[in-house]
Amino acid sequence: MTDVTLSPDGDIITLDHGGATARFHAIWLRDNAWDPATRAPGNGQRLIALRDIDVGVHISAARLAGGQLQLTFAPEAREIAYDPDWLMAHRYDRDEVRAPGALPDGAEAWDAGLMENVPTGDFSAVRDHAEARRAWLAQIARYGFAKLTGGPVRDGALFDVVDLFGHVRPTNYGAKFEVRTEVNPTNLAYTGLGLQAHTDNPYRDPVPTVQVLYCLESTAEGGENMVVDGFAAARRLRTENPEWFDVLSGHCARFEYAGEAGVRLQSRRPMIELDPDGILRAVRFNNRSAAAITDVPFDVLPSYYAAYRRLGEIIDDPAMEVSFRLEPGESFLVDNTRVLHARKGYSGSGTRWFQGCYADMDGVRSTLAALETPRQEAAE
Amino acid sequence: MTDVTLSPDGDIITLDHGGATARFHAIWLRDNAWDPATRAPGNGQRLIALRDIDVGVHISAARLAGGQLQLTFAPEAREIAYDPDWLMAHRYDRDEVRAPGALPDGAEAWDAGLMENVPTGDFSAVRDHAEARRAWLAQIARYGFAKLTGGPVRDGALFDVVDLFGHVRPTNYGAKFEVRTEVNPTNLAYTGLGLQAHTDNPYRDPVPTVQVLYCLESTAEGGENMVVDGFAAARRLRTENPEWFDVLSGHCARFEYAGEAGVRLQSRRPMIELDPDGILRAVRFNNRSAAAITDVPFDVLPSYYAAYRRLGEIIDDPAMEVSFRLEPGESFLVDNTRVLHARKGYSGSGTRWFQGCYADMDGVRSTLAALETPRQEAAE
């Protein structure tokens, strides 16, 4: 049953539909009309600005007809039809209050338990079949990472992975970078020993929101890849000590990279970034490029460092970690705003050659949303 | 005169240097040591993680010698040298409290008064001379936009502009997009009438932080480009009505673009984005891609819409606007997280052909910082 009532001043309607009730303001309704004079039928872009809506807009009549809600707006004296399903799906009259550190819609926190069920797709299937692509992208949106197996073994094959959902973001490291290490015990800097899980390039702003790492050679022993859910780590910190969560999310850290001529990348961003309503937005964690903390008041600094240390301990906890070994033609993708990654040490003879590149999560989410929503509906 | 004192528990030093006094904690000092065992001499990256520093770290001795501060850390019993100038430049023991809506370091708010002095560089000079490049980039960092004159007139010349500081960010619109409009009064969608100043692609996340618009043909009358300082607009809103500033910065808006097959870009971000300490981070304003607001509580919504309307009025105020006309070979660059742009309407015969592309501000800031800081110092 669908029912609508209009407030005496014409400012608010109350809609009962599909077993739920929600109120809507006249200004919101007029702004979100889908008639062809308000929204371009082709691409859905709004043709009017807020300045085109009278500041005294109100509703002079509300009725139901043919399953549509028909609202007449004053002073323009125009009747516009609304889909009750669309309205209820976009209602803002809710009691729900999410606590600081809540997960974004669709995200699911994970720990080492996910090792039994590492999100994975098959390259050919994901490339050729919409449903396989949708399923692979949905895992990335949900968990912040996924493997891709069965890909080609050739220089630049990682770009084929990016083509599945978006566009490479070139940086000062190039369109791609080589992670090619001849095992050589005299060169300790390249052994990977003691490499803590991290997010990439926190000194970049905006940070690259996707990293792809693609395996081309892997005959050395060890060298497994490891990932940690930064959102799960942040939420565990909050459970253990809400004050420490607040101090890390309430102050900016600093990151810097000046390792090559002509480059001096610097950022000022929190290690735990929240949306204004407290929902987790991003995690930045990288000891190598962490610069001096200068935005934390003197009296707060000891607590900040205690929180930073504990967050690192949580990230280092094997109970948080999922690891896997990639073979040539296999790759993995991380949401670099959420999931930390690391490479375990390796030794012995043999080679290990990976290629990496950056891209952005909006392409992942856009491609996923387009696959989940028939085109026709999207344009309406 | 330089002087240092150590607290009895070894947790804090107080440094007098260059006429200022600041306290530093032992944990901060140890974490920010620049000795070659802590920081790689080549690229400055930190070689240790916080887990490598003893949780009970303290200072057992502090002395000055040869202009350096020499600190001995316990329990590791190691003496490390610090540059007092570096310490004072990075001190966090400050009383300064910035009000919400403060400008980021180095930014200067502007209005129509800047029209007398539009930030501009000459293409050849900026390309060939470090000082001209530094000066041009410094204007972008300060004002959020700058023109570039005297460039080549050929397809793709805008990429030469991006090469001056960074890398193109390709999107679903391609590496570049055409803004080529034959003047045709029967096609009102392309006249540009009533196009409100906006930031580009707020539905993308991360948003492209730089847009370059490059003029290749301009024989039509009108079609001037116009820019508005979004930070100045947000600060004016705060001066007029702090509650409205808070309501826009405290809640997420929604943006969406689904105008082509396979694309359904959606974002959930505030129109006025602040850092955790209230410093202005970004402005998003675009009526065409604004989606239904669903993250504002029912009781707050009228105030949200009033604030949104007033922000639009401020943006529309000619007193805020700087406009200029571009000729072939001229271009302008905006910091798309801060400066709104619009194209004025045009009419009559003739053609207008612009090309646009996206890039990122971190390249602007990195190239500027590298030009301002001699390489040697950066690596130390």
Side-chain angles (χ1 to χ4, degrees):
Chain A
M1 196 209 74
T2 302
D3 191 37
V4 63
T5 58
L6 178 62
S7 68
D9 60 5
D11 192 39
I12 295 166
I13 65 157
T14 303
L15 181 66
D16 290 295
H17 179 71
T21 301
R23 295 166 295 173
F24 297 88
H25 291 91
I27 181 67
W28 186 97
L29 289 160
R30 184 61 191 86
D31 192 34
N32 291 298
W34 282 91
D35 66 294
T38 304
R39 289 271 192 178
N43 59 32
Q45 289 207 289
R46 190 184 275 97
L47 299 170
I48 63 168
L50 193 50
R51 63 186 177 193
D52 300 315
I53 302 177
D54 194 278
V55 69
V57 63
H58 60 282
I59 297 164
S60 57
R63 64 188 179 96
L64 291 159
Q68 295 287 92
L69 175 64
Q70 299 284 350
L71 300 177
T72 304
F73 290 92
E76 62 182 318
R78 200 152 71 82
E79 186 173 63
I80 301 176
Y82 292 81
D83 174 359
D85 288 338
W86 186 92
L87 286 175
M88 293 313 276
H90 292 83
R91 68 183 186 271
Y92 54 93
D93 184 11
R94 291 170 301 186
D95 291 329
E96 173 196 358
V97 172
R98 288 195 264 196
L103 292 168
D105 283 344
E108 184 179 322
W110 50 265
D111 59 17
L114 191 62
M115 195 114 120
E116 305 305 309
N117 195 17
V118 173
T120 305
D122 173 74
F123 177 79
S124 302
V126 169
R127 183 190 56 199
D128 299 334
H129 301 290
E131 171 50 27
R133 188 180 299 200
R134 187 208 59 72
W136 185 66
L137 295 171
Q139 292 182 94
I140 298 167
R142 186 173 175 185
Y143 299 114
F145 81 103
K147 281 176 63 180
L148 197 60
T149 58
V153 182
R154 61 171 160 68
D155 180 21
L158 79 175
F159 295 142
D160 297 348
V161 176
V162 176
D163 285 343
L164 299 170
F165 63 86
H167 306 272
V168 167
R169 170 126 61 107
T171 70
N172 53 297
Y173 304 131
K176 63 176 163 63
F177 47 88
E178 307 292 331
V179 192
R180 183 173 205 164
T181 308
E182 300 294 322
V183 175
N184 176 2
T186 67
N187 188 344
L188 289 173
Y190 289 100
T191 59
L193 288 176
L195 187 65
Q196 191 175 30
H198 59 277
T199 61
D200 256 40
N201 295 7
Y203 44 78
R204 214 177 286 286
D205 193 356
V207 79
T209 55
V210 162
Q211 183 184 44
V212 176
L213 278 169
Y214 200 102
C215 178
L216 292 173
E217 289 180 12
S218 181
T219 60
E221 280 189 57
E224 289 85 3
N225 290 97
M226 188 263 272
V227 287
V228 172
D229 183 359
F231 283 0
R235 286 165 63 81
R236 182 170 153 193
L237 179 70
R238 182 165 186 278
T239 301
E240 291 181 2
N241 190 324
E243 186 200 333
W244 284 354
F245 178 88
D246 291 345
V247 82
L248 287 187
S249 59
H251 297 89
C252 285
R254 300 256 183 172
F255 299 94
E256 182 168 45
Y257 175 80
E260 54 191 275
V263 173
R264 193 176 179 86
L265 289 155
Q266 297 170 307
S267 75
R268 176 185 178 281
R269 283 295 184 113
M271 292 196 199
I272 300 174
E273 184 184 349
L274 305 179
D275 286 330
D277 49 4
I279 294 175
L280 285 163
R281 158 68 47 189
V283 166
R284 292 173 185 80
F285 192 87
N286 191 317
N287 69 294
R288 284 167 295 154
S289 59
I293 304 286
T294 56
D295 300 276
V296 175
F298 181 82
D299 294 337
V300 178
L301 191 110
S303 166
Y304 188 94
Y305 260 95
Y308 178 18
R309 180 183 292 271
R310 184 59 194 152
L311 181 61
E313 288 169 353
I314 291 170
I315 286 166
D316 290 342
D317 182 352
M320 303 295 288
E321 145 193 348
V322 165
S323 61
F324 45 84
R325 184 184 170 82
L326 294 186
E327 301 301 330
E330 298 186 339
S331 60
F332 76 104
L333 180 157
V334 290
D335 174 349
N336 189 51
T337 67
R338 170 180 175 187
V339 170
L340 300 86
H341 64 281
R343 184 199 63 206
K344 299 205 173 185
Y346 55 97
S347 60
S349 60
T351 59
R352 186 177 185 278
W353 178 24
F354 278 56
Q355 290 185 325
C357 73
Y358 298 118
D360 282 303
M361 277 299 289
D362 53 7
V364 170
R365 297 188 205 284
S366 169
T367 306
L368 175 60
L371 288 166
E372 286 176 340
T373 312
R375 170 88 184 100
Q376 190 89 14
E377 185 186 325
E380 273 174 7
Chain B
M1 194 209 76
T2 303
D3 191 37
V4 63
T5 57
L6 179 62
S7 67
D9 61 4
D11 192 39
I12 296 166
I13 65 156
T14 303
L15 181 65
D16 289 295
H17 179 71
T21 301
R23 295 166 295 173
F24 297 88
H25 291 91
I27 181 68
W28 186 97
L29 289 161
R30 184 61 192 85
D31 193 34
N32 291 298
W34 281 91
D35 66 294
T38 304
R39 289 272 192 178
N43 59 31
Q45 289 207 287
R46 190 184 277 97
L47 299 169
I48 63 169
L50 193 50
R51 64 186 177 192
D52 301 314
I53 301 177
D54 193 280
V55 69
V57 63
H58 60 282
I59 297 164
S60 57
R63 65 188 178 93
L64 292 159
Q68 295 286 92
L69 175 64
Q70 299 283 349
L71 300 177
T72 303
F73 289 91
E76 61 182 318
R78 200 151 70 83
E79 186 172 64
I80 301 176
Y82 292 81
D83 173 0
D85 287 338
W86 186 91
L87 287 175
M88 294 312 276
H90 293 83
R91 68 183 186 273
Y92 55 93
D93 183 11
R94 293 170 300 187
D95 291 328
E96 171 196 1
V97 172
R98 288 195 264 194
L103 292 168
D105 283 344
E108 185 179 322
W110 51 265
D111 60 17
L114 191 63
M115 195 113 120
E116 306 304 309
N117 195 19
V118 173
T120 305
D122 172 74
F123 178 79
S124 303
V126 169
R127 183 190 56 199
D128 299 334
H129 301 290
E131 171 49 26
R133 187 179 299 201
R134 187 207 60 72
W136 184 67
L137 295 171
Q139 292 182 96
I140 298 167
R142 186 173 176 186
Y143 299 114
F145 81 104
K147 282 175 62 180
L148 197 60
T149 59
V153 182
R154 60 170 160 69
D155 180 22
L158 79 175
F159 296 142
D160 297 347
V161 176
V162 176
D163 285 344
L164 299 171
F165 63 87
H167 305 272
V168 168
R169 171 127 60 108
T171 69
N172 53 297
Y173 304 131
K176 63 176 163 64
F177 47 89
E178 307 292 331
V179 191
R180 184 173 204 166
T181 308
E182 300 294 321
V183 175
N184 175 3
T186 66
N187 188 345
L188 289 173
Y190 288 101
T191 60
L193 288 175
L195 187 66
Q196 191 174 31
H198 59 277
T199 61
D200 256 41
N201 294 196
Y203 43 79
R204 214 178 286 286
D205 194 355
V207 80
T209 55
V210 163
Q211 182 184 43
V212 176
L213 278 169
Y214 200 102
C215 178
L216 292 172
E217 289 179 13
S218 181
T219 61
E221 280 190 57
E224 290 85 3
N225 290 97
M226 189 263 271
V227 287
V228 172
D229 183 0
F231 284 180
R235 286 165 62 83
R236 183 170 151 194
L237 179 70
R238 183 166 186 278
T239 301
E240 292 181 3
N241 190 324
E243 185 201 331
W244 284 354
F245 178 89
D246 292 345
V247 82
L248 287 187
S249 59
H251 297 89
C252 285
R254 300 257 184 171
F255 299 94
E256 182 168 45
Y257 175 81
E260 55 191 274
V263 172
R264 193 177 178 86
L265 289 154
Q266 296 169 309
S267 74
R268 177 187 178 281
R269 283 294 184 114
M271 292 196 199
I272 299 174
E273 183 184 349
L274 305 179
D275 286 329
D277 49 5
I279 295 175
L280 284 163
R281 158 69 46 189
V283 167
R284 293 174 184 79
F285 192 86
N286 190 318
N287 68 295
R288 285 167 295 154
S289 58
I293 304 286
T294 56
D295 300 275
V296 175
F298 181 82
D299 293 338
V300 178
L301 191 110
S303 166
Y304 188 94
Y305 260 94
Y308 177 19
R309 181 182 291 270
R310 184 59 195 152
L311 181 61
E313 289 169 352
I314 292 170
I315 286 165
D316 290 342
D317 182 351
M320 302 296 287
E321 143 192 351
V322 165
S323 61
F324 45 83
R325 185 185 170 81
L326 295 186
E327 301 301 330
E330 297 186 339
S331 59
F332 76 104
L333 180 157
V334 290
D335 175 348
N336 189 51
T337 67
R338 170 181 174 186
V339 170
L340 299 87
H341 65 281
R343 182 199 64 204
K344 299 204 173 184
Y346 55 96
S347 59
S349 61
T351 58
R352 186 177 185 277
W353 178 24
F354 278 56
Q355 290 185 325
C357 72
Y358 298 118
D360 282 302
M361 277 299 290
D362 55 6
V364 170
R365 296 188 206 284
S366 169
T367 306
L368 175 61
L371 287 166
E372 286 176 340
T373 313
R375 169 87 184 100
Q376 191 90 15
E377 186 186 323
E380 274 173 10

